[in-house]
Amino acid sequence: MSSGVQVLAEAGVPVAAAAGGAAFARAKAPALYWSAIGLPVTAVRVSATYGSTMDACGLTVPPSRLRVLVTRATSRREIRPVPPRIRRVRPTMTGLRLRIRLAPGQEPADVAASAERLRHAWGVHGVHVSVIGPGVVELRMTGFDVLRRVRMPRRRPVGDLVVPVAMREDGTAFVRDYRAIPHALTLGATLSGKSVYIRNLVSELAKLDVALVGIDCKRGVEQVPFAPRLSALATDPQSAGDLLDALVEMMEERYDLLRHHQGLVGSVASHEITSDIWGLPAKLRPVPVILLVDEVAELFLVATRKDEERRDHMVTQLIRLAQLGRGAGMFVEACGQRFGSELGKGATMLRAQLSGRVVHRVNDRPTAEMGLGDVSPEAVLAATQIAPDMPGVAVAGDSSGGWSRIRTPHLSLARAADICRSTAHLTPALPGLERFRPVVAPLPAVPPMPASPPRFAPAPAAE
């Protein structure tokens, strides 16, 4: 009897050690735990309980008459409701993706309404529903909180002017696609992670063949570190107004180029006629320009009545860029802490042109409503619930009504400045903006290291 107890006690030691190691990996290395333990367990659980879980969630339909007749003719099995058919199962580093074909009479909203039930039934961190095509949806399950420690996917998005910026809560990359969503508004209170979002955006754009233009009315403290990669920079309202005038003039010149390329009827082949710069031949196509406006509210504020005329003109030029800039390859990225209709004339009109929205933690609900109110009421609620101890978490939405929680990976200002300096050779020369180009001081020379003294002093010479 004692020998049996001793054997069980000796066997319990490695079991306890393995359980402790699994618990430690789940807390400190969730991606490793998911790949080794969580993924196989979840795959088996989903496979074994798929039909019953779909039935319990109300995602099954009665079988067709043909199926009933075949079942009765070939077997005596009970005729049960039919769940959506699984088309593909794909494991990922953060979860499991299940692509299913909806049953007749179902719609994606039915599956989305049961996402929370599916999450609890299969024991995963989250279930997100994405529409792939007519009648086909994908269940993107995450095995752990991917926003706790952000690790961007290794596979980069493909496309012109498409850059990854943050991680979505479903484990995919949140990208800024300027061809699809030309202009965007980013809001966030102090220490909410808004500056880190802009650093990631600038660092990715710096690697592309684009011209970056900055307006930073905080004396340039946010954008001066990016100066080696900027084609133009304005650091006060007066220079910002002059820079906006130059950008509008450049936009008009690009539309003149498009009109000249179209020419008279019959002088240009029909397949070469275009209304934006992307249809121009490569040798004629001007470089895309991305305008980064930091603290956009500073452009609206005035101290005296004398400044109102200057403010109105500057805001009008900014609205013109947002309305007409897409076809000329000119895009606006505006960000700030507070944005509301009380800023004055033109604020609501400018917001209507900025279809991309990213809202970090804000200090008041009206700011969240200004950013996401026309996207979704649920998005506004999610933005007001961002915890202060999670900087970088934001709610991203667009005019289509879709939204998701995202988080940017931490990127220091020094690292972003190094990337801009290493890609300075990609900065295009734009004659119309040459007078606004920031002067970049050369890096200070590093003095040579002094020769290290000998480890042991030589012995004194004998007299």
Side-chain angles (χ1 to χ4, degrees):
M1 184 70 175
S2 60
S3 60
V5 174
Q6 183 177 3
V7 171
L8 291 177
E10 293 177 354
V13 173
V15 172
F24 179 82
R26 187 173 188 175
K28 299 298 182 181
L32 177 62
Y33 173 84
W34 170 256
S35 300
I37 301 177
L39 178 59
V41 172
T42 301
V44 172
R45 184 183 294 123
V46 171
S47 177
T49 65
Y50 177 77
S52 59
T53 300
M54 288 293 177
D55 191 16
C57 294
L59 297 177
T60 56
V61 297
S64 63
R65 293 183 179 181
L66 178 61
R67 186 178 186 128
V68 172
L69 293 176
V70 172
T71 303
R72 288 177 177 175
T74 58
S75 65
R76 296 183 179 179
R77 290 184 301 143
E78 179 185 0
I79 300 175
R80 307 189 61 181
V82 180
R85 187 171 72 254
I86 298 177
R87 298 188 62 176
R88 190 176 71 177
V89 179
R90 184 163 69 93
T92 65
M93 294 296 297
T94 58
L96 187 68
R97 295 188 182 182
L98 201 67
R99 184 168 296 186
I100 61 177
R101 176 76 182 183
L102 297 179
Q106 292 181 334
E107 61 176 353
D110 299 332
V111 185
S114 301
E116 191 67 14
R117 298 181 181 181
L118 297 175
R119 180 178 79 87
H120 288 286
W122 291 331
V124 293
H125 182 268
V127 176
H128 308 274
V129 180
S130 177
V131 179
I132 304 300
V136 180
V137 299
E138 187 174 68
L139 303 181
R140 296 176 178 176
M141 292 175 271
T142 53
F144 54 94
D145 187 1
V146 298
L147 301 185
R148 178 63 61 177
R149 292 193 188 116
V150 178
R151 295 181 61 185
M152 295 295 291
R154 296 179 181 178
R155 181 179 298 178
R156 293 182 60 87
V158 179
D160 296 331
L161 293 180
V162 178
V163 292
V165 186
M167 171 76 83
R168 293 181 183 269
E169 61 182 342
D170 61 358
T172 60
F174 170 74
V175 300
R176 276 292 286 119
D177 186 353
Y178 287 92
R179 297 287 299 274
I181 304 178
H183 316 295
L185 175 65
T186 302
L187 301 174
T190 303
L191 300 179
S192 64
K194 173 171 56 67
S195 297
V196 178
Y197 174 88
I198 298 300
R199 292 174 201 167
N200 280 272
L201 178 62
V202 172
S203 299
E204 293 294 334
L205 289 173
K207 304 171 186 177
L208 304 181
D209 185 17
V210 299
L212 301 180
V213 176
I215 294 180
D216 182 7
C217 291
K218 294 191 301 184
R219 300 301 180 188
V221 295
E222 293 287 348
Q223 296 186 1
V224 162
F226 312 143
R229 189 59 182 85
L230 296 180
S231 298
L233 176 63
T235 58
D236 57 78
Q238 183 62 42
S239 60
D242 297 338
L243 177 56
L244 287 172
D245 289 340
L247 289 172
V248 170
E249 183 179 354
M250 178 185 296
M251 180 182 66
E252 293 173 348
E253 292 175 353
R254 293 187 174 195
Y255 277 116
D256 290 340
L257 173 64
L258 287 170
R259 186 178 61 178
H260 177 73
H261 177 71
Q262 290 177 352
L264 300 176
V265 178
S267 62
V268 179
S270 58
H271 66 276
E272 293 182 357
I273 296 177
T274 178
S275 61
D276 55 41
I277 66 169
W278 310 110
L280 292 174
K283 61 181 180 179
L284 297 178
R285 187 184 309 144
V287 63
V289 177
I290 298 176
L291 173 61
L292 306 166
V293 184
D294 190 82
E295 294 301 341
V296 66
E298 288 293 324
L299 303 181
F300 287 84
L301 300 179
V302 292
T304 62
R305 287 183 177 271
K306 188 182 299 184
D307 296 333
E308 289 185 2
E309 184 177 351
R310 174 190 56 82
R311 188 273 309 271
D312 292 344
H313 175 74
M314 187 163 45
V315 171
T316 300
Q317 297 293 69
L318 186 58
I319 293 174
R320 291 187 65 191
L321 281 174
Q323 284 181 334
L324 307 174
R326 184 203 63 82
M330 304 179 71
F331 311 98
V332 177
E333 283 280 347
C335 64
Q337 299 183 31
R338 179 77 174 86
F339 196 86
S341 57
E342 70 275 4
L343 290 178
K345 184 173 62 176
T348 305
M349 181 178 290
L350 176 62
R351 184 201 64 161
Q353 302 299 325
L354 307 177
S355 54
R357 310 289 174 80
V358 177
V359 178
H360 295 74
R361 179 179 55 83
V362 292
N363 292 326
D364 58 323
R365 185 181 179 90
T367 299
E369 292 176 345
M370 194 69 173
L372 298 169
D374 53 351
V375 174
S376 170
E378 291 80 9
V380 175
L381 180 62
T384 58
Q385 295 177 344
I386 298 176
D389 60 344
M390 292 286 286
V393 174
V395 175
D398 54 56
S399 57
S400 66
W403 64 276
S404 62
R405 295 173 69 244
I406 65 172
R407 191 178 191 184
T408 49
H410 178 70
L411 181 66
S412 65
L413 183 59
R415 176 57 183 159
D418 289 342
I419 295 175
C420 290
R421 188 174 293 274
S422 63
T423 57
H425 62 282
L426 297 176
T427 306
L430 301 177
L433 304 180
E434 192 61 32
R435 60 193 176 104
F436 300 101
R437 186 158 184 174
V439 178
V440 180
L443 289 175
V446 179
M449 294 292 293
S452 57
R455 190 171 183 180
F456 299 101
E463 298 181 358

